[in-house]
Amino acid sequence: MIQSDTARNVINFVLFQVGWFACVLYPGLGAVGLVVLIVAFHLAFISQARMAELQFIGAGVVIGGLLDGLWFNVGVMDNGVEGFQLTPIWILGLWAAFSTTLSHSLSWISAKPWLPFVCAPVAGPFAYWSASKMGAVELPDLTLSLAALAVGWLVVFPLLLFIRKTLYPELVQ
């Protein structure tokens, strides 16, 4: 296990970025395989509470996957699939990689109770907009899509932090 908090946070940030770009640029099973390796490395060398963090990552994948599945099925996002669709596996990979950051490189966002409510509705939609510019997804009605994503992130991001704090207090630094 890596002992330095700074080193763990920097490595966590870099690994998340690698996972994000892999999933967005090459959406599919290969990118998800890379994310599985990233999460395994994270649990082996960065996490200080492996089982709790694995459970939290699972919660993040389920909650994020449900939200993004909703967005695909109501037309906020589009990936060219007709009819009802499940959240694409590469987006679940993104949620897994993102969930690793909440106890490490993004843990600072919990320092002030209001900060997640300010950052989430901006940073979350920005990530989706960036992914759309790279061709991973489409935002059919840009204004409506970004507004819906902002509201979703305004709910989901603080919810994930609340879950981490209440169910997995050993993950709070």
Side-chain angles (χ1 to χ4, degrees), residues 47 56 80 87-88 104 113 171-172:
S47 180
F56 177 68
T87 303
H104 300 281
L171 299 179
V172 180

Side-chain angles (χ1 to χ4, degrees), residues 20-32 88-91 134-137:
W20 190 90
F21 278 105
C23 286
V24 168
L25 293 174
Y26 307 102
L29 289 178
V32 173
I89 193 158
W90 63 271
I91 290 182
M134 294 180 191
V137 296

Side-chain angles (χ1 to χ4, degrees), residues 1-161:
M1 180 181 321
I2 299 167
Q3 297 301 315
S4 165
D5 285 342
T6 301
R8 282 196 312 271
N9 287 340
V10 168
I11 293 168
N12 173 254
F13 175 77
V14 169
L15 290 176
F16 168 69
Q17 294 302 316
V18 167
W20 190 90
F21 278 105
C23 286
V24 168
L25 293 174
Y26 307 102
L29 289 178
V32 173
L34 178 62
V35 169
V36 168
L37 293 175
I38 287 170
V39 170
F41 180 91
H42 174 86
L43 292 171
F45 298 105
I46 296 172
S47 180
Q48 294 180 308
R50 290 180 182 104
M51 268 328 274
E53 193 150 16
L54 180 59
Q55 292 171 12
F56 177 68
I57 291 167
V61 169
V62 169
I63 292 169
L66 288 171
L67 179 66
D68 284 345
L70 172 68
W71 293 150
F72 278 111
N73 285 295
V74 299
V76 169
M77 291 192 296
D78 186 18
N79 63 352
V81 175
E82 295 292 324
F84 178 81
Q85 58 183 304
L86 298 174
T87 303
I89 193 158
W90 63 271
I91 290 182
L92 298 178
L94 286 174
W95 279 103
F98 173 72
S99 296
T100 70
T101 67
L102 297 180
S103 298
H104 300 281
S105 59
L106 287 182
S107 64
W108 59 271
I109 208 159
S110 297
K112 304 281 186 203
W114 53 267
L115 199 51
F117 295 98
V118 173
C119 294
V122 175
F126 178 75
Y128 289 81
W129 175 80
S130 300
S132 76
K133 292 299 180 187
M134 294 180 191
V137 296
E138 288 184 37
L139 302 176
D141 179 336
L142 185 61
T143 303
L144 178 64
S145 293
L146 291 176
L149 290 164
V151 170
W153 273 79
L154 186 61
V155 172
V156 166
F157 189 70
L159 174 63
L160 289 172
L161 295 176

